[in-house]
Amino acid sequence: MSSPAFRSLPLSTTQLSLAAVLRCGQSFRWSVLPLSDQHSPHEYRLCLRDRVVCLRQTSDTLLYRSVYLPQPSSPKEEAVKDAETLAWIRDYFQLDVDLMELYSQWSSMDPVFEKVKDRFEGIRILRQDPFECLLSFICSSNNNISRITKMVQSLCTQYSPPLLSLPPPKDGTEGPLVPYHPFPPPSALAAPEVAAKLRSLGFGYRADFIQKTAKMLVDAHGNDTSTSMQEPAEKWLLTLRQLSTSDARTELLKFMGVGRKVADCVLLMSLDKREVVPVDTHVHQIAVKHYGLPGSSKSKATMTPKLYDDVSMKLVEKWGDYAGWAHSVLFTSDLKAFANYGLDGSSSSPSLSKIAMPSSASPSPTKRKRATTKAVEGNTVTDAVASTVEEFDELSLAERVKRRRQVCLKVSAK
DNA sequence: GGTGTACCCGCT
DNA sequence: GCGGGTACAC
């Protein structure tokens, strides 16, 4: 396989830090390969349907290239495909969003953010493929990044044939070829026997969730496995981007293994719902420690729907329109794996865990106010989210179970 | 409608 | 034992 030259895109690491963004638990599929280059210590690779995208980064430049299948037959055709790769990069990393602008806004709104911002630059939300995102986060329950990564890799190697193979990027050295697999389509995971296989691969109880969710999607939207690049179910998931946060969440909650947390991750990371703040026990701890949410910092209260809403709403109030993006910065800064991140001597910002709780940590709000204050036609983001939260609240557990059953029955009836 | 428990597996 | 949760039964 040929090794085309890298193209370059001027881009500061303050706008995008691959080292943080590709390893902080948003996407679990990027290969991180060592380089002997001081300025760019790693190469990152991701396999798409028809190409493997390879990225490197220096302080002021993003270097990119792709290896295609089929290979371009002329320099002209290759130039066209490279332009596609660049367009994909702009879309996937949402480069039209000015992260510096957001960082300064969040800093002015939040003293806690102010303290971590210098050490955790360039952390933004990826715009991922919804199907991959959905399955990845179904795998994430009661789980850690390293195991989720292994499971997602298994999905690819077991259920999606390799697109092509590449040698490691070691400058100058020839190494063994490594196969790159795209993420499998829904139809590849829908067969009943998939569940048992996934269990044997160490997926645990998530094996059934994956297979059932894939089957629900295929049965509801068909699997046109003809040569098309995307199956109908994948296209349908993309249409959820047009829906309101609340409506899109309702759709996601119908799938097996998808509760509020997983749904919110998919909304934020693949469906353009930038204000959504997914709440897990970790985020809850952050909220208790730094934002005066009620709850003991030691006792791990079970995440009830109400507690989830309280935490999520509080953080949306704090950070505003792009609250989900801000959440990602704080969340990353609190990951153990990032304990030494950004400590290159030039910065002295602490990791979040080292920051003392503000002495006047907001006197635990007597009671979370429901969004009673409807502002101008619900145009403020806080209100928009608050109202969606209310709708979710009103959706009883029984109703959710019923809806899910309906879909399951519909599925098994076929 | 809120609360309790089992669930796979790997790590502390 | 617990965890970057969810399903299911009271």
Side-chain angles (χ1 to χ4, degrees), chain A residues 14-273:
Chain A
T14 59
Q15 286 292 343
L16 170 64
S17 164
L18 293 181
V21 167
L22 300 185
R23 298 199 281 193
C24 68
Q26 291 191 52
S27 170
F28 302 92
R29 209 158 63 83
W30 285 84
S31 307
V32 182
L33 305 163
L35 284 179
S36 54
D37 182 346
Q38 279 195 352
H39 298 289
S40 175
H42 299 289
E43 179 169 318
Y44 302 88
R45 293 177 174 175
L46 181 70
C47 186
L48 306 180
R49 288 284 155 67
D50 69 335
R51 71 194 65 192
V52 177
V53 178
C54 308
L55 302 178
R56 299 181 188 186
Q57 184 172 39
T58 67
S59 61
D60 61 2
T61 306
L62 182 67
L63 297 152
Y64 67 95
R65 77 173 189 195
S66 286
V67 181
Y68 305 97
L69 199 86
Q71 294 182 60
S73 56
S74 69
K76 187 180 173 185
E77 192 190 332
E78 176 161 25
V80 169
K81 292 196 167 224
D82 285 349
E84 288 172 0
T85 296
L86 178 56
W88 179 85
I89 288 170
R90 289 188 182 286
D91 182 75
Y92 185 79
F93 292 104
Q94 315 206 57
L95 296 183
D96 286 341
V97 177
D98 183 350
L99 199 60
M100 291 301 281
E101 174 72 26
L102 289 175
Y103 269 47
S104 65
Q105 283 176 215
W106 295 327
S107 298
S108 66
M109 293 186 277
D110 175 8
V112 177
F113 185 91
E114 164 78 33
K115 289 180 185 166
V116 289
K117 73 166 201 291
D118 289 336
R119 218 186 103 192
F120 294 92
E121 289 178 339
I123 297 173
R124 57 171 59 239
I125 294 294
L126 267 19
R127 190 172 194 243
Q128 301 185 61
D129 174 77
F131 180 65
E132 174 177 342
C133 195
L134 178 63
L135 266 57
S136 298
F137 282 93
I138 286 175
C139 293
S140 78
S141 71
N142 258 315
N143 214 341
N144 54 57
I145 290 179
S146 106
R147 183 149 82 114
I148 300 166
T149 302
K150 283 179 194 141
M151 289 162 67
V152 171
Q153 269 178 14
S154 288
L155 286 181
C156 295
T157 55
Q158 297 292 318
Y159 294 100
S160 171
L163 179 71
L164 52 83
S165 293
L166 293 177
K170 291 244 171 141
D171 322 270
T173 324
E174 292 292 322
L177 263 49
V178 179
Y180 287 85
H181 302 250
F183 195 82
S187 63
L189 299 168
E193 56 271 24
V194 169
K197 177 72 177 289
L198 290 181
R199 265 184 192 270
S200 76
L201 289 168
F203 279 64
Y205 58 83
R206 305 163 199 84
D208 301 271
F209 294 161
I210 302 253
Q211 183 268 326
K212 286 191 170 121
T213 289
K215 177 151 175 53
M216 286 169 76
L217 275 166
V218 168
D219 288 350
H221 302 101
N223 74 339
D224 174 16
T225 55
S226 60
T227 57
S228 146
M229 295 255 291
Q230 270 188 326
E231 296 184 358
E234 296 176 278
K235 289 181 181 161
W236 175 79
L237 282 170
L238 280 168
T239 67
L240 298 183
R241 285 178 176 165
Q242 332 282 328
L243 300 187
S244 69
T245 296
S246 168
D247 288 349
R249 181 185 285 126
T250 300
E251 292 301 321
L252 293 174
L253 287 173
K254 293 174 183 171
F255 296 107
M256 291 299 291
V258 179
R260 177 72 189 267
K261 159 67 165 53
V262 170
D264 280 1
C265 286
V266 176
L267 288 170
L268 174 65
M269 301 177 194
S270 73
L271 297 180
D272 299 336
K273 306 301 183 253

Side-chain angles (χ1 to χ4, degrees), chain A residues 210-349:
Chain A
I210 302 253
Q211 183 268 326
K212 286 191 170 121
T213 289
K215 177 151 175 53
M216 286 169 76
L217 275 166
V218 168
D219 288 350
H221 302 101
N223 74 339
D224 174 16
T225 55
S226 60
T227 57
S228 146
M229 295 255 291
Q230 270 188 326
E231 296 184 358
E234 296 176 278
K235 289 181 181 161
W236 175 79
L237 282 170
L238 280 168
T239 67
L240 298 183
R241 285 178 176 165
Q242 332 282 328
L243 300 187
S244 69
T245 296
S246 168
D247 288 349
R249 181 185 285 126
T250 300
E251 292 301 321
L252 293 174
L253 287 173
K254 293 174 183 171
F255 296 107
M256 291 299 291
V258 179
R260 177 72 189 267
K261 159 67 165 53
V262 170
D264 280 1
C265 286
V266 176
L267 288 170
L268 174 65
M269 301 177 194
S270 73
L271 297 180
D272 299 336
K273 306 301 183 253
R274 56 185 189 245
E275 80 284 4
V276 171
V277 177
V279 177
D280 49 41
T281 54
H282 219 163
V283 170
H284 179 221
Q285 293 305 310
I286 294 176
V288 169
K289 183 174 179 186
H290 300 287
Y291 298 98
L293 259 285
S296 155
S297 56
K298 36 181 283 186
S299 77
K300 283 136 192 176
T302 52
M303 186 56 60
T304 64
K306 169 162 168 44
L307 179 56
Y308 189 112
D309 287 344
D310 286 348
V311 173
S312 191
M313 284 177 55
K314 174 77 178 183
L315 296 178
V316 172
E317 284 172 14
K318 180 56 101 176
W319 295 320
D321 198 1
Y322 279 77
W325 288 50
H327 139 278
S328 172
V329 178
L330 270 283
F331 179 77
T332 302
S333 79
D334 206 40
L335 277 179
K336 283 180 197 152
F338 285 77
N340 292 316
Y341 178 82
L343 290 181
D344 58 350
S346 67
S347 161
S348 59
S349 274

